[in-house]
Structure formats: structure tokens, C-alpha cells
Amino acid sequence: MNKILRFWLVLSCTYIMQPAQADVYKCTDATGEVVFQGEPCRKGDEVKLDIRFSEQQQQAVEQLISGSWCEVGTSNVPDGTVQQDNALRKTWIFSERQMVQHISQGKRLDTFKYPIRQSPGSFVIDHPAFGSGQVSWQVKKLTDDQLVIAAYGGFTHLAAGNCEIAMASAQN
């Protein structure tokens, strides 16, 4: 009986001591009230909280993403080595309320449309394939020709323009 009790005690402590993985945002609304929530703030002041290490200021991206972007590859750190998948071409097209992805592999072309909520420095995609139906992305870098976004601990690197045009010019 003692061994079973110890086993359950160790097992329960293991679950209790798991680190938190969710993003938490401290938002100040237009009336000045502070609200803590799991998705980026829509209006007002925002501070992204790392509940393990205290407050961190939001990345200084002050505009919304728009236009067409070609996915270059992924990395484990924002400025790290980008791993490319030459078999897939992904074009991301952003507007204020929708994100469209054109994914081509060989002769196959798939198009996916996602409702999106953007704020400067982040966006949320609504899609049931992502478990809860939503995925929050943080914009780590946004220039006229480069976009780096982060979700799930990885970074996706994109270059301005359509992938078919980008790939054709890279081959010439």
C-alpha cells in the first residue's frame, strides 16, 4: 500500500510541477481597466507576460502585415539558420481580416483561407485544425522585404512577394 501511495504522490507532483506553456497578455482597454487574457490585445496598451520570468515588452512592430509573402523556411531562433523545404512552396497573403495560403508541391496546389485578427506585432488565426481553433503568432521582424513570425516555439521566415515569382527569379 505504501508503494502505491508513493507512486501516486510522485505522479501528481510531476503534473503539478509542469511549466506553463501558454502566452498571457496584460491588456489595458480604452477605459483604463487592466485585463489578463490568452490572446493579443485588440486595442490599448499591451505587455506580453512570460509567467515564468515576469513581464516582457511587446516587440516593436507598429504596423499590420499586408500583401503577399513567400515562405523561405523555418528556424529555432529568430536570427538562426533557416531550414528550407524545397519541395513545398507556400505563399501567405495577408489582409486585415483574412489570411490565404497557397501551398504547392509539384503539380498540386492547395489554397486555404483563414479568418484572422491582427494587431501590430501579432495575429490570431481561427482554424479548427489547430486544436482550440486558434493559433496566436507573434511578429518578430517586419520590414519591406522580410517577415519573421513565431508560434509553437519555432520561427517562420518569409520574403516579400509571391513564391512562384521568387522561385523563378532564383532559378535565373
Side-chain angles (χ1 to χ4, degrees), residues 19-72:
Q21 297 294 323
D23 289 336
V24 176
Y25 296 87
K26 177 182 172 185
C27 304
T28 305
D29 64 17
T31 64
E33 188 171 330
V34 174
V35 179
F36 295 92
Q37 59 191 43
E39 62 182 56
C41 306
R42 293 185 184 197
K43 294 182 180 175
D45 296 330
E46 174 181 286
V47 175
K48 182 177 178 183
L49 302 176
D50 184 331
I51 58 177
R52 296 172 295 164
F53 302 106
S54 76
E55 295 184 7
Q56 298 176 350
Q57 291 298 322
Q58 175 69 16
Q59 186 74 352
V61 174
E62 298 177 1
Q63 64 193 59
L64 299 180
I65 305 170
S66 64
S68 182
W69 296 86
C70 176
E71 184 173 320
V72 175

Side-chain angles (χ1 to χ4, degrees), residues 1-169:
M1 184 73 161
N2 249 350
K3 288 182 182 181
I4 294 173
L5 183 60
R6 285 184 190 153
F7 171 76
W8 284 110
L9 181 62
V10 169
L11 186 62
S12 64
C13 287
T14 301
Y15 285 110
I16 291 171
M17 297 173 71
Q18 291 293 322
Q21 297 294 323
D23 289 336
V24 176
Y25 296 87
K26 177 182 172 185
C27 304
T28 305
D29 64 17
T31 64
E33 188 171 330
V34 174
V35 179
F36 295 92
Q37 59 191 43
E39 62 182 56
C41 306
R42 293 185 184 197
K43 294 182 180 175
D45 296 330
E46 174 181 286
V47 175
K48 182 177 178 183
L49 302 176
D50 184 331
I51 58 177
R52 296 172 295 164
F53 302 106
S54 76
E55 295 184 7
Q56 298 176 350
Q57 291 298 322
Q58 175 69 16
Q59 186 74 352
V61 174
E62 298 177 1
Q63 64 193 59
L64 299 180
I65 305 170
S66 64
S68 182
W69 296 86
C70 176
E71 184 173 320
V72 175
T74 59
S75 68
N76 294 326
V77 293
D79 296 323
T81 302
V82 177
Q83 300 165 342
Q84 297 178 327
D85 182 355
N86 293 326
L88 287 177
R89 294 183 182 148
K90 296 180 185 177
T91 299
W92 303 50
I93 303 170
F94 290 91
S95 65
E96 187 175 348
R97 304 231 183 263
Q98 184 177 34
M99 184 189 81
V100 177
Q101 261 190 343
H102 298 293
I103 302 174
S104 62
Q105 183 174 21
K107 293 183 179 185
R108 181 179 175 155
L109 175 64
D110 293 308
T111 299
F112 302 96
K113 296 179 180 180
Y114 306 100
I116 186 173
R117 289 187 311 280
Q118 283 201 62
S119 62
S122 65
F123 61 93
V124 176
I125 296 172
D126 293 321
H127 191 285
F130 294 118
S132 68
Q134 296 184 345
V135 174
S136 294
W137 292 79
Q138 295 300 310
V139 179
K140 297 300 181 183
K141 184 174 189 178
L142 177 58
T143 64
D144 289 340
D145 58 352
Q146 186 179 19
L147 171 62
V148 179
I149 54 179
Y152 297 121
F155 299 87
T156 302
H157 300 258
L158 300 108
N162 179 311
C163 283
E164 297 307 318
I165 294 170
M167 296 299 177
S169 65

